[in-house]
């Protein structure tokens, strides 16, 4: 074929445009609002749009304790930049370790009372790399996964190329039947989360640990939405239940309650070293910068010794739920800090989010498919220790007005 000759083929732009039109038609096209967090001002933020900048209150942040604004965290990051510069210089396989990341891993191992920890670029990588490596390293492995596990866990299990079994969400009887069907001598990993981020429900950790022990399985627990917030030192729900020692591999994030960025695992030294030596998501990604590692370590250390923010988080959550009940705004009941306000319709959920922002200066992104099932659309609210009573009362008054204007169904008495 002559060079430069034009041939017929698919209209790629039209295909992409058609996909986007479909999203918009279903009412689940996502618009990323531009707003600027200001140091020390959270949960207030400056929102930009239509040539206007105004202050709004953020109600959907995963910076659950406001540690992204904490003076100790900011100071540690500034000092690390002055000492080490901006970047890590490459992957750790090539560039080696820098001091702050070594110190951070020691801090995380101490937090979870495990011999070793390994830091990744983000929580997604920690799950994907570790689960995929486990499935390949353990001979004839089968991974048993909760049906509601995060997409990063699902991707890791797929990449493991080993057998998998899906047990119904938090269903101990189903898990037991699946475990009992496998030979005791077969390598098995039970993968689950402590706090499920969309419904805010928690796993029956004690029951899962008991089943895993009785059937010779490893436990892999994602504590992403729990680390920093639960337990005497913030190690998560397992620590709060006195079961931290019984978890073989704990996975967490530095991007939510700890307020920075990064993911990690903690466990026995040989296991962590094997993941370090074989996990593609670790081997082929650049290390987190020294400033990020230093800031994360400062956050972990602060929350290990000071539980005041954890207590305040629970108090604020209880207060918000009471106000929602008073206004008959439907929300899922759970024991965690996550408050899902239920709408059940994608276009109405988007309209609710837009009206709440435009008329009441309250920012809460709509959550829709594929993050949640169709018909389960919602606003996912999080009340941090920095949301005061006046902010909460204004939010619920705004929700009440929006509920009436959009003719959404109220919760029963």
């Amino acid at each position: 074929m002559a060079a430069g000759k034009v041939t017929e083929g698919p209209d790629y732009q039209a295909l992409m445009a058609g996909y986007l039109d479909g999203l918009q038609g279903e009412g689940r096209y996502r618009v990323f609002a531009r707003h600027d967090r200001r140091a020390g001002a959270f949960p207030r933020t400056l929102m930009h749009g239509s040539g206007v900048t105004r202050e709004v209150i953020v109600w959907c942040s995963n910076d659950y304790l406001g540690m992204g604004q904490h003076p100790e965290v900011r100071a540690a990051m500034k000092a690390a930049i002055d000492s080490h510069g901006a970047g890590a210089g490459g992957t750790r396989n090539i560039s080696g370790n820098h001091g702050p990341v070594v110190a951070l891993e020691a801090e995380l191992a101490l937090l979870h009372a495990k011999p070793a920890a390994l830091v990744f670029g983000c929580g997604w990588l920690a799950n994907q790399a570790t689960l995929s490596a486990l499935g390949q390293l353990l001979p004839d492995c089968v991974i048993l996964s909760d049906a509601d596990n995060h997409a990063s866990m699902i991707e890791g299990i797929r990449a493991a190329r080993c057998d998998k079994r899906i047990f119904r969400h938090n269903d101990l009887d189903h898990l037991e039947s699946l475990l009992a069907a496998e030979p005791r001598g077969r390598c098995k990993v039970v993968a689950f989360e402590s706090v499920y981020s969309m419904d805010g429900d928690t796993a029956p950790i004690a029951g899962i640990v008991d089943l895993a022990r009785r059937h010779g399985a490893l436990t892999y627990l994602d504590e992403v939405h729990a680390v920093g917030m639960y337990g005497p030192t913030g190690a998560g729900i397992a620590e709060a239940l006195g079961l931290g020692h019984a978890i073989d591999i704990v996975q967490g994030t530095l991007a939510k309650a700890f307020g920075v960025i990064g993911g990690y695992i903690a466990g026995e030294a040989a296991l962590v070293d094997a993941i370090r030596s074989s996990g593609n998501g670790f081997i082929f990604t650049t290390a987190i910068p020294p400033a990020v590692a230093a800031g994360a370590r400062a956050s972990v250390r602060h929350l290990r010794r000071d539980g005041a923010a954890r207590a305040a988080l629970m108090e604020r959550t209880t207060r918000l739920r009471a106000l929602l009940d008073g206004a008959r705004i439907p929300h899922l009941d759970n024991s965690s800090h996550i408050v899902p306000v239920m709408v059940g319709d994608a276009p109405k959920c988007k309209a609710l989010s837009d009206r709440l922002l435009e008329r009441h200066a309250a920012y809460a992104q709509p959550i829709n498919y594929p993050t949640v099932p169709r018909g389960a659309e919602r606003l996912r609210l999080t009340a941090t220790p920095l949301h005061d009573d006046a902010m909460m009362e204004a939010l619920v008054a705004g929700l009440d007005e929006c509920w009436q204007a959009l003719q959404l169904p109220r919760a029963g008495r």
Side-chain angles (χ1 to χ4, degrees), residues 129-180:
T130 304
L131 285 167
S132 63
L134 280 175
Q136 296 174 52
L137 290 170
L138 298 174
D140 191 30
C141 182
V142 58
I143 300 178
L144 300 98
S145 175
D146 187 285
D148 282 8
N149 276 344
H150 191 264
S152 58
M153 300 174 77
I154 294 169
E155 289 295 327
I157 294 167
R158 285 175 179 163
R161 300 193 298 274
C162 66
D163 286 349
K164 66 180 179 182
R165 309 282 185 266
I166 310 300
F167 61 94
R168 290 186 293 272
H169 178 53
N170 283 348
D171 190 328
L172 291 175
D173 291 337
H174 191 209
L175 174 60
E176 183 172 25
S177 69
L178 293 174
L179 284 167

Side-chain angles (χ1 to χ4, degrees), residues 139-140 182-188 215-216:
D140 191 30
E182 300 296 336
R184 181 171 179 81
R186 187 179 191 187
C187 292
K188 297 175 285 290
H215 292 276

Side-chain angles (χ1 to χ4, degrees), residues 75-240:
M77 296 185 79
K78 291 174 185 176
I81 286 176
D82 288 341
S83 297
H84 301 282
T91 68
R92 291 165 71 178
N93 276 26
I94 294 173
S95 298
N97 289 330
H98 54 71
V101 79
V102 173
L104 172 59
E105 288 175 343
E107 193 73 38
L108 291 167
L110 188 62
L111 172 68
H112 292 287
K114 301 294 185 187
L118 185 67
V119 169
F120 297 77
C122 65
W124 176 285
L125 280 175
N127 269 333
Q128 197 277 343
T130 304
L131 285 167
S132 63
L134 280 175
Q136 296 174 52
L137 290 170
L138 298 174
D140 191 30
C141 182
V142 58
I143 300 178
L144 300 98
S145 175
D146 187 285
D148 282 8
N149 276 344
H150 191 264
S152 58
M153 300 174 77
I154 294 169
E155 289 295 327
I157 294 167
R158 285 175 179 163
R161 300 193 298 274
C162 66
D163 286 349
K164 66 180 179 182
R165 309 282 185 266
I166 310 300
F167 61 94
R168 290 186 293 272
H169 178 53
N170 283 348
D171 190 328
L172 291 175
D173 291 337
H174 191 209
L175 174 60
E176 183 172 25
S177 69
L178 293 174
L179 284 167
E182 300 296 336
R184 181 171 179 81
R186 187 179 191 187
C187 292
K188 297 175 285 290
V189 178
V190 180
F192 62 109
E193 301 182 41
S194 60
V195 177
Y196 289 85
S197 63
M198 287 299 116
D199 287 352
D201 58 329
T202 55
I205 297 177
I208 292 175
V209 165
D210 178 63
L211 288 174
R213 283 179 168 175
R214 287 198 278 120
H215 292 276
L218 285 176
T219 48
Y220 181 98
L221 177 59
D222 178 320
E223 291 258 34
V224 159
H225 291 275
V227 288
M229 294 170 284
Y230 298 89
T233 67
I237 299 287
E239 182 194 38

Side-chain angles (χ1 to χ4, degrees), residues 342-346 368-369 372-378:
M342 304 306 292
V343 180
D345 179 275
N368 51 40
Y369 181 83
V372 296
R374 298 180 195 276
E377 291 80 8
R378 67 197 66 185

